[in-house]
Amino acid sequence: MDSCLAVEREVEKVSSKFSSLKKSLNKNVDEQIRQIDSLRAALESQSECELNSVEKTDLKHATLNISEGIGKLATEHRDLHSTVSKVGKAIDRNFVPDFDSTSREDIFSGPTKEHLLNEVILQHLYRQGQLNISETLAQESGIHEYKSQKEPFLELNRILESIRNRNLEPALKWAAENREALHLQGTSLFFSNVEGRATVQQKSTLELRLHKLKFVDLLVKGNRMEAIKYARSNFPNFVQGQEKEVQSLMGAVMYAGSELENSPYAYLLDEGHWAEIEDIFLRDACALMGLSVESPLALAVNAGCTALPALLNIKQVMQQRQVSSVWNAKDELPIEIDLPSDMRFHSVFACPILRQQVCDNNPPMRLTCGHVISRDALSKLTSGHKLKCPYCPVEQNPADAKTICF
């Protein structure tokens, strides 16, 4: 952040210099034009072919003034170039231009990995509604089977755009068509206020929330009877498990119209409900499509941006101390990267014996006594066909240990 602020200060200096130069330039150019016009008028009014000594002196002084003005403009322009060049120097001083030291060339080598990378990019473009770019990429990369997933993304983007325009009909139609699948899937909106642990509500609330927004819109317009009819037609399907929600909505009927804003039910008018319904719809739609809520490409890029400064620092320290060989593992980084909770998707287990994080080549093993250690620790603790658990005195056959998959 300090690096960005340092560059920003230099950019502000350039902007200020541009503003002052513009004012000075306009003033000097106007002055030069005035002097040239005055000199030309004086010459045209002269009837004699030759100038006398006084006129020659005036002409010389006018020419010198014009030359001095032009020279001043050139000097100010050179000063501007110097200020602009300082921005580039500030960028070079505060940012590392070469990130190759933290990358691995083999990570995307091979047709299979390149194909996977192109699919991830295509999915991101479809999510963002960038259809023209995605179509060009699909043609150039030779990916044709991915076209079958294009239509669901088109529909998803159309419904999201309708919600942003306060049109709930497409979303209500989609929710009704996928009602059973949504209830089986459960809403994927997470709540983290239950004993400090993230929980998930198993029955989808998407359709009720959509009807809720529609109902509130009718109340805002003062259509009390229309709102009651709408509630009778739609709310009975959602009463079970949502009694308090439906009761509060029906209580708001008494304040239909302009009174709703100053009533105990004013919270129903919060604009955050619209942003929340977008989030719930996106999560549930992606869950039905078997996709992650967030774009995998965006998550990978954001995680990389978070990790990059620490990796650059550790790489520089390794090079200075000539211990670059420490960073040669393909499956792990030389330091732990503290990513936020929304970027963590896998359980992490560290072997309590070797104090190493397990991986595919060294998976966690469950002993018959219930304790878990890594496969490498199991091999080192095994004596013949006997193994004594390092935490309890139970002796067992190491062949009875089971691999655990998190």
Side-chain angles (χ1 to χ4, degrees):
M1 191 63 186
D2 293 336
S3 300
C4 294
L5 293 175
V7 175
E8 186 178 2
R9 285 193 292 269
E10 295 296 333
V11 173
E12 289 177 353
K13 290 180 182 179
V14 173
S15 179
S16 176
K17 194 78 172 179
F18 262 113
S19 300
S20 60
L21 178 60
K22 182 180 178 181
K23 295 178 181 178
S24 176
L25 184 65
N26 291 336
K27 182 178 179 181
N28 287 337
V29 170
D30 291 340
E31 180 65 21
Q32 301 307 319
I33 292 175
R34 186 189 64 77
Q35 290 187 15
I36 292 174
D37 289 341
S38 176
L39 180 60
R40 184 176 60 183
L43 291 174
E44 290 177 351
S45 63
Q46 182 65 34
S47 57
E48 298 180 3
C49 296
E50 294 185 1
L51 302 176
N52 55 38
S53 58
V54 176
E55 293 171 340
K56 289 180 179 180
T57 302
D58 292 341
L59 178 61
K60 184 177 180 180
H61 282 303
T63 305
L64 288 174
N65 289 336
I66 295 173
S67 298
E68 289 177 358
I70 294 174
K72 185 179 179 180
L73 289 176
T75 301
E76 293 178 346
H77 197 264
R78 283 195 298 271
D79 292 342
L80 177 64
H81 274 286
S82 175
T83 308
V84 172
S85 65
K86 290 181 180 179
V87 176
K89 294 178 181 178
I91 294 175
D92 294 338
R93 186 170 56 254
N94 290 281
F95 294 95
V96 179
D98 182 16
F99 301 108
D100 290 342
S101 59
T102 61
S103 64
R104 285 172 35 205
E105 295 182 359
D106 62 325
I107 193 67
F108 292 119
S109 61
T112 304
K113 294 181 178 179
E114 290 180 3
H115 186 82
L116 178 62
L117 178 61
N118 288 329
E119 283 195 355
V120 172
I121 297 174
L122 271 177
Q123 184 189 118
H124 178 78
L125 293 174
Y126 283 143
R127 285 173 178 265
Q128 301 297 319
Q130 303 290 341
L131 303 180
N132 294 333
I133 300 176
S134 60
E135 197 68 35
T136 302
L137 176 61
Q139 293 176 358
E140 293 183 356
S141 59
I143 300 178
H144 303 293
E145 65 274 13
Y146 207 74
K147 290 184 177 180
S148 60
Q149 299 191 25
K150 179 179 178 180
E151 186 58 35
F153 282 112
L154 289 175
E155 184 181 12
L156 187 147
N157 281 292
R158 283 196 296 266
I159 295 175
L160 281 176
E161 188 64 28
S162 298
I163 293 176
R164 296 186 185 107
N165 293 328
R166 300 296 194 265
N167 179 16
L168 297 173
E169 296 303 326
L172 284 169
K173 180 180 178 182
W174 182 89
E177 293 174 351
N178 296 277
R179 181 178 300 163
E180 293 300 324
L182 286 171
H183 288 326
L184 290 174
Q185 180 72 34
T187 184
S188 54
L189 179 64
F190 287 95
F191 301 89
S192 57
N193 57 352
V194 180
E195 299 179 356
R197 298 180 62 186
T199 59
V200 63
Q201 187 172 344
Q202 291 303 316
K203 187 175 181 180
S204 175
T205 60
L206 174 63
E207 193 170 2
L208 175 59
R209 289 172 183 266
L210 290 169
H211 285 301
K212 172 183 172 180
L213 289 175
K214 183 71 174 179
F215 178 77
V216 172
D217 183 58
L218 293 173
L219 293 181
V220 171
K221 295 177 180 178
N223 300 332
R224 183 171 301 173
M225 293 307 300
E226 190 70 25
I228 293 175
K229 292 179 181 178
Y230 187 85
R232 288 175 177 173
S233 301
N234 298 283
F235 287 169
N237 297 327
F238 310 99
V239 171
Q240 186 178 1
Q242 306 288 337
E243 292 85 355
K244 292 184 178 180
E245 183 78 14
V246 175
Q247 288 173 1
S248 64
L249 289 173
M250 297 311 300
V253 174
M254 297 184 297
Y255 301 94
S258 58
E259 297 179 0
L260 185 61
E261 188 174 354
N262 300 318
S263 71
Y265 304 94
Y267 67 90
L268 295 174
L269 303 177
D270 189 356
E271 289 294 320
H273 293 308
W274 289 94
E276 185 180 13
I277 200 63
E278 285 185 36
D279 184 60
I280 295 175
F281 169 75
L282 182 61
R283 290 176 181 275
D284 283 355
C286 288
L288 290 186
M289 295 167 63
L291 301 172
S292 60
V293 177
E294 302 294 339
S295 167
L297 180 63
L299 280 173
V301 171
N302 291 334
C305 291
T306 302
L308 194 57
L311 294 179
L312 289 171
N313 289 336
I314 193 66
K315 190 69 175 182
Q316 186 177 7
V317 171
M318 287 180 175
Q319 291 175 347
Q320 291 174 353
R321 298 184 180 181
Q322 298 181 351
V323 289
S324 57
S325 59
V326 175
W327 193 351
N328 54 12
K330 292 185 177 181
D331 297 329
E332 62 182 27
L333 296 173
I335 57 174
E336 182 179 358
I337 303 298
D338 187 17
L339 294 176
S341 58
D342 58 347
M343 291 186 181
R344 296 180 181 271
F345 304 97
H346 304 285
S347 300
V348 176
F349 175 77
C351 176
I353 305 302
L354 300 180
R355 300 187 183 279
Q356 295 177 348
Q357 185 173 320
V358 296
C359 59
D360 293 339
N361 297 326
N362 182 29
M365 307 293 292
R366 182 185 182 277
L367 306 181
T368 56
C369 58
H371 293 108
V372 180
I373 59 177
S374 66
R375 179 185 289 173
D376 289 349
L378 178 70
S379 302
K380 292 183 179 181
L381 293 173
T382 299
S383 177
H385 294 287
K386 293 183 179 181
L387 169 68
K388 186 175 181 179
C389 176
Y391 289 97
C392 62
V394 175
E395 290 189 0
Q396 51 200 288
N397 188 340
D400 295 333
K402 303 295 184 182
T403 304
I404 295 179
C405 298
F406 286 101

